[in-house]
Amino acid sequence: MLSPYKILKSAQLNHYAIGAFNACNLELIKAIVISAHRLKSSVIIATSEGESEFIGMRKIRKIIDVWQEELNIPIILHLDHGHSLEKIKEAINSGYDSVHFDGSSLCLEDNIKTTKKVVNYVKKKNSGIIVEGELGYLRGSSELHSGVEIKEDDLTDPDEALEFIEKTGVDSLAVAIGNIHGIIKKQSNSSGLKYRNPHLYLSRLKQIKEKVEDKVFLVLHGGSGTPEGDIKKAIDLGIIKVNINTELRIAFSNTLRKILKEKKNEIVPYRIMPAVIDAVEKVVMEKIKLFGSVNSILK
Ligand code: G3H
Ligand code: ZN
């Protein structure tokens, strides 16, 4: 497999983004890798701290290794929103290819100081592991919300972004440009529930990109529910990784609920789960197409 750095660099050079899809069980992993294989796309499988604890970091590493051997596609295993150096160390010792240290709740000075510690620790290992830092305040969590208010102060400041990447040496930077974690649920007149998140502040992204140029890989968290046109424009403006979690969780849970309701007497997991996997695959494939990474393994 190409190194994670080369995989991300190829996205930057060729102006597409790689999907980082969160997973915590065999069914989600299967749906993600099968979709990526079908569309010949590089893919990132991400586990948050909670998801990592549920599946086990060493276990997911082995599971991904087996899929990678069988399908021969580049799969980057990534720790998502690690909040301490201990978690980062645990992921690295378990064989993760990429780690995200989220110091965004700290003041700029402490965020730089702690992220730098993470970068120093990781780079000492000389292993090609990617380090992602985060700057700006991303509201919400990967669930359904009735409303989330974004404030101008939440957004990543372009000058601070440049200072952050120069002082920490991170490979990637997650930015706050009006994106939120999760999906805002709205009641529509005709067809029940409708999902729609606010528009991105694309002009802010443009200013950030002008400052940091190609010195860092720009990452968009909270990809679920974001207007598709905004995602496309954000990729044109330099985003090379888009994180998706909530839409997978919705596809998984809603389909599972539906199947169990329809087939009240069905108790065999391998007859229940295929429809759930199909529903998640549909979302993953739509995103891979939207991000422009179809056939990226050939680039
Ligand atoms: O880190 C994970 C992502 O930012 C997922 O965000 O749940 O809004 O897709 P999302
Ligand atoms: Zn996130």
Side-chain angles (χ1 to χ4, degrees):
M1 176 179 118
L2 279 178
S3 72
Y5 183 86
K6 283 192 177 153
I7 292 170
L8 300 178
K9 196 71 194 169
S10 171
Q12 193 178 51
L13 293 172
N14 294 292
H15 309 290
Y16 61 87
I18 299 173
F21 300 99
N22 285 70
C24 65
N25 65 19
L26 291 173
E27 286 78 11
L28 286 161
I29 295 169
K30 185 172 183 176
I32 297 163
V33 295
I34 296 264
S35 305
H37 179 249
R38 215 173 270 153
L39 297 176
K40 298 190 173 48
S41 173
S42 305
V43 75
I44 298 166
I45 294 198
T47 63
S48 64
E49 289 191 2
E51 288 157 346
S52 306
E53 258 161 52
F54 181 75
I55 191 163
M57 288 187 182
R58 291 180 60 242
K59 293 178 189 74
I60 191 168
R61 175 68 273 173
K62 300 276 182 207
I63 295 162
I64 300 290
D65 286 346
V66 173
W67 276 111
Q68 209 153 25
E69 269 166 41
E70 281 188 14
L71 301 180
N72 196 26
I73 54 164
I75 308 171
I76 295 175
L77 179 58
H78 173 78
L79 175 68
D80 188 34
H81 295 284
H83 287 99
S84 65
L85 185 57
E86 285 59 48
K87 272 289 160 205
I88 301 283
K89 286 182 181 172
E90 193 187 336
I92 290 171
N93 293 333
S94 305
Y96 275 52
D97 307 300
S98 172
V99 289
H100 167 210
F101 173 70
D102 180 358
S104 60
S105 61
L106 305 171
C107 67
L108 177 66
E109 197 191 337
D110 290 349
N111 191 0
I112 290 176
K113 211 159 68 189
T114 323
T115 307
K116 183 147 184 57
K117 261 192 211 159
V118 171
V119 174
N120 287 346
Y121 176 80
V122 174
K123 299 299 165 187
K124 241 191 345 224
K125 301 236 154 200
N126 214 7
S127 51
I129 294 166
I130 295 290
V131 182
E132 178 178 321
E134 181 163 337
L135 195 60
Y137 181 39
L138 222 76
R139 290 172 189 268
S141 55
S142 292
E143 290 169 73
L144 294 171
H145 305 287
S146 51
V148 175
E149 197 197 335
I150 297 163
K151 304 206 168 91
E152 180 110 27
D153 266 6
D154 298 343
L155 308 185
T156 305
D157 178 88
D159 291 311
E160 289 184 358
L162 183 61
E163 182 185 350
F164 184 86
I165 64 161
E166 284 178 340
K167 289 191 174 162
T168 60
V170 285
D171 302 291
S172 308
L173 177 68
V175 290
I177 50 164
N179 41 332
I180 59 161
H181 281 129
I183 289 185
I184 298 173
K185 197 168 71 172
K186 280 188 184 154
Q187 205 73 41
S188 86
N189 299 337
S190 51
S191 56
L193 290 176
K194 236 179 127 183
Y195 305 120
R196 179 146 176 118
N197 284 8
H199 280 287
L200 299 176
Y201 289 73
L202 292 161
S203 53
R204 178 59 66 101
L205 175 59
K206 193 164 178 277
Q207 290 164 353
I208 295 168
K209 180 69 185 176
E210 277 162 9
K211 282 278 169 192
V212 302
E213 299 170 316
D214 278 355
K215 294 184 194 113
V216 75
F217 300 127
L218 291 175
V219 174
L220 183 73
H221 278 248
S224 296
T226 307
E228 293 198 350
D230 285 19
I231 297 239
K232 277 193 172 167
K233 285 181 196 148
I235 294 169
D236 287 344
L237 289 168
I239 291 290
I240 66 107
K241 169 176 175 270
V242 182
N243 290 22
I244 301 285
N245 195 356
T246 310
E247 286 192 53
L248 306 185
R249 289 178 170 182
I250 292 172
F252 183 97
S253 319
N254 285 357
T255 312
L256 186 55
R257 259 191 285 271
K258 187 168 162 268
I259 301 287
L260 293 178
K261 206 172 154 198
E262 277 167 16
K263 302 182 178 178
K264 289 225 160 45
N265 294 320
E266 183 58 87
I267 60 157
V268 182
Y270 62 74
R271 287 204 287 260
I272 294 171
M273 298 316 287
V276 176
I277 295 170
D278 280 355
V280 177
E281 275 175 15
K282 204 168 157 262
V283 177
V284 175
M285 286 196 290
E286 269 169 21
K287 298 298 176 194
I288 288 177
K289 289 177 191 164
L290 176 66
F291 303 159
S293 73
V294 176
N295 286 329
S296 56
I297 60 171
L298 308 172
K299 284 181 183 148

